């Protein structure tokens, strides 16, 4: 038996900037060229239609940026404007369209795909890029709170299929990530709030001090005060990046997925509501549920569970939802999310719970009675 063994060093810059397409801002140029400064680089640009609606001059700015840096950069095709939001992850035709366009533009493995948009479009374009020529150089410019603090800085992409969230997808580290905070100013209130769920999540499992900061700054965050939002995005991104770099399992080969605290219920609620609930809105409900459950199991002080629910509400989340009351075959349908969560990962069911704010632990089974009680608590007007 020969044991084949090698390891691959992964490295990509995550740049925080503002006004990324100002011709005088060299951050994007650097992100694209610093590894091979002598070359002229081809890029295929995709823009989220929701973003373009809020920034009508964006296509012109992309053209101007590439013109201004034409010794180093070249557009491989006209920038493509594609619909963003969860709908793009439910449309397999979009992936085929992108593959065809990459092929028509003669995109090769040294070309870049630049995606400006929300987490959903990043996931879909990232999947198309990872599967064309077995992997193009993906440069993400996430334009939502969630995109900049979580999905955009990580190593995953994916689309939904067969009624299952993220059924198709790959692990594919990006070439670079450029977070332009100025894009966040045009987000709808709903998306501003939704993106903060992942901040609360990562604070709960990793960083009690950050939770305290979120709690103390909840009014500024609710008002989307720029300095507070900038800190939330940066700290959340740092915590996600640190986990990926140091957990020893960046490509999630084990059964545990600690960053998915609250996500078993969230993913189920997203599909049960036909994705009418935003990912972050569903995550907030999932966080509240698993916090109440952690308290119900005697792991977390009840006062902490109450604080968590209060903070989520204070940030603007609604923790009650009619889908939580839907029963199928004698039990709440959302509980099917447990089996689906296990299936997505393989191996043994592994749930992350809390034993304190900032301190997580893993369990492998669920007490139905306590879970039902936690669900009832969550959906009652009394909340926690
Ligand atoms: N790959 C991962 O590791 C990972 C992690 C977490 C979440 N996700 C995925 O991310 C997706 C959610 O992403 P999201 O929260 O960014 O929402 P989203 O991508 O659905 O975007 C929400 C809306 O905002 C619009 N938009 C984007 N940028 C805008 C801007 N600057 N101004 C105005 N409108 C703008 C979009 O067109 C869309 O209509 C989910 O599919 C979720 O599963 C992926
Ligand atoms: Zn998430």
């Amino acid at each position: 038996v020969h044991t084949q063994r090698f390891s691959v060093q992964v490295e990509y810059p995550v740049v925080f900037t503002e006004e990324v397409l100002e011709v005088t801002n060299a951050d994007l140029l650097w992100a694209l060229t610093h590894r091979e400064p002598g070359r002229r680089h081809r890029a295929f640009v995709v823009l989220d239609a929701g973003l373009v609606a809020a920034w009508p001059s964006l296509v012109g700015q992309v053209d101007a940026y590439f013109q201004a840096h034409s010794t180093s950069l070249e557009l491989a095709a006209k920038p493509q404007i594609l619909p963003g939001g969860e709908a793009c992850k439910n449309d397999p035709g979009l992936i085929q369209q992108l593959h065809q366009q990459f092929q028509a533009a003669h995109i090769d493995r040294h070309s870049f795909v630049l995606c400006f948009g929300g987490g959903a479009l990043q996931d879909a374009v990232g999947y198309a890029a990872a599967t064309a020529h077995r992997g193009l150089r993906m440069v993400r410019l996430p334009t939502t709170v969630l995109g900049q603090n979580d999905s955009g800085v990580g190593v995953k992409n994916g689309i939904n299929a067969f009624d299952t969230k993220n059924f198709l997808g790959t692990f594919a580290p990006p070439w670079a990530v450029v977070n332009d905070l100025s894009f966040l100013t045009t987000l709808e209130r709903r998306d501003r709030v939704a993106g903060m769920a992942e901040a609360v999540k990562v604070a709960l499992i990793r960083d009690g001090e950050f939770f305290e900061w979120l709690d103390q700054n909840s009014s500024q965050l609710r008002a989307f005060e720029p300095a507070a939002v900038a800190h939330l995005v940066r700290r959340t991104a740092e915590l996600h990046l640190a986990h990926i770099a140091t957990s020893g399992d960046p490509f999630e080969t084990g059964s545990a997925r600690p960053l998915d605290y609250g996500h078993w219920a969230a993913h189920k609620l997203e599909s049960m509501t036909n994705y009418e609930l935003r990912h972050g809105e569903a995550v907030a409900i999932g966080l509240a549920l698993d916090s109440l459950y952690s308290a119900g199991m005697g792991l977390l002080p009840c006062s902490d569970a109450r604080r968590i629910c209060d903070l989520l509400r204070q940030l603007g989340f609604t923790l009650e939802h009619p889908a939580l009351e839907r029963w199928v075959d004698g039990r709440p349908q959302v509980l099917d999310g447990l089996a689906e969560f296990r299936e997505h990962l393989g191996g043994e069911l592994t749930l992350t719970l809390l034993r304190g704010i900032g301190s997580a632990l893993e369990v492998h089974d669920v007490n139905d009675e306590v879970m039902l009680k936690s669900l009832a608590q969550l959906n009652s007007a009394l909340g926690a």
Side-chain angles (χ1 to χ4, degrees):
V1 176
H2 167 82
T3 303
Q4 171 81 328
R5 179 179 297 124
F6 56 84
S7 54
V8 179
Q9 178 83 14
V10 173
E11 194 179 310
Y12 55 90
V14 178
V15 184
F16 285 85
T17 190
E18 286 185 45
E19 313 285 351
V20 67
L21 288 173
E22 282 295 317
V23 168
T24 49
N25 182 337
D27 288 336
L28 178 58
L29 180 67
W30 175 83
L32 296 173
T33 61
H34 75 283
R35 290 195 209 172
E36 295 166 329
R39 268 190 55 209
R40 193 152 182 256
H41 299 266
R42 300 184 78 227
F44 188 99
V45 176
V46 180
L47 305 163
D48 186 316
L51 175 72
V52 174
W55 300 82
S57 59
L58 206 56
V59 179
Q61 280 184 287
V62 170
D63 281 330
Y65 194 89
F66 276 77
Q67 275 298 326
H69 301 293
S70 59
T71 41
S72 314
L73 303 181
E74 175 191 343
L75 279 175
K78 224 172 113 240
Q80 292 297 308
I81 301 172
L82 297 176
E86 195 67 27
C88 74
K89 288 179 64 171
N90 289 322
D91 173 16
L94 185 83
I95 303 299
Q96 193 176 18
Q97 178 192 329
L98 282 166
H99 284 159
Q100 273 167 355
Q101 287 173 332
F102 294 158
Q103 201 270 341
H106 304 286
I107 292 296
D108 65 28
R109 295 180 60 187
H110 290 224
S111 310
F112 293 111
V113 175
L114 257 63
C115 180
F116 293 74
L121 191 68
Q122 298 289 348
D123 270 5
V125 173
Y127 178 56
T131 47
H133 288 307
R134 301 199 177 94
L136 306 174
R137 296 176 175 182
M138 176 75 189
V139 177
R140 303 200 195 115
L141 294 104
T143 59
T144 58
V145 176
L146 182 135
Q148 296 191 1
N149 72 22
D150 180 356
S151 67
V153 300
V155 295
K156 295 189 275 184
N157 56 55
I159 58 170
N160 310 326
F162 316 113
D163 279 333
T164 307
K165 174 93 180 168
N166 298 330
F167 186 74
L168 300 175
T170 73
F171 288 96
W175 179 268
V177 183
V178 181
N179 277 343
D180 179 343
L181 290 158
S182 39
F183 282 128
L184 305 182
T185 56
T186 55
L187 283 174
E188 276 184 28
R189 175 166 167 73
R190 215 184 147 176
D191 292 303
R192 295 177 175 193
V193 174
M196 295 196 251
E198 306 285 3
V200 177
K201 172 203 75 182
V202 81
L204 286 175
I205 57 172
R206 284 281 187 275
D207 186 348
E209 243 173 73
F210 184 41
F211 184 90
E212 295 302 328
W213 182 88
L214 291 167
D215 210 17
Q216 278 155 22
N217 290 273
S218 60
S219 322
Q220 288 91 320
L221 291 167
R222 191 189 176 97
F224 219 61
E225 200 262 293
V229 173
H231 180 72
L232 174 143
V233 169
R234 250 182 197 271
R235 184 66 192 142
T236 307
E238 274 169 17
L239 289 165
H240 280 123
L241 287 163
H243 174 86
I244 294 166
T246 62
S247 66
D249 192 16
F251 300 135
E252 298 174 6
T253 52
S255 315
R257 213 159 63 165
L259 289 182
D260 276 356
Y261 179 56
H263 276 57
W264 67 267
H267 287 158
K268 187 66 191 170
L269 287 168
E270 286 184 81
S271 71
M272 281 173 71
T273 59
N274 270 322
Y275 302 98
E276 266 155 29
L277 266 181
R278 295 272 207 271
H279 179 71
E281 293 167 342
V283 168
I285 297 173
L287 297 178
L289 177 60
D290 283 358
S291 301
L292 291 168
Y293 178 78
S294 300
M297 292 300 290
L299 298 164
L300 179 74
C302 291
S303 55
D304 281 349
R306 207 169 305 124
R307 264 190 94 192
I308 295 164
C309 294
D310 286 348
L311 171 61
L312 289 167
R313 290 201 179 91
Q314 172 61 22
L315 291 173
F317 290 104
T318 305
L319 303 180
E320 300 81 25
H321 195 282
L324 294 170
E325 276 175 356
R326 206 177 299 156
W327 285 53
V328 173
D329 296 331
R331 56 190 238 129
Q333 193 184 1
V334 68
L335 296 185
D336 293 348
L338 285 166
E340 289 167 21
F341 188 70
R342 192 206 61 77
E343 233 171 75
H344 188 69
L345 289 159
E348 199 181 0
L349 174 70
T350 304
L351 283 193
T352 300
L353 296 180
L354 297 182
R355 61 178 151 214
I357 287 177
S359 175
L361 87 167
E362 277 162 18
V363 300
H364 301 287
D365 43 32
V366 171
N367 179 319
D368 285 351
E369 203 183 312
V370 176
M371 186 55 85
L372 282 172
K373 209 175 128 216
S374 309
L375 266 174
Q377 256 179 311
L378 183 59
N379 228 17
S380 75
L382 297 171

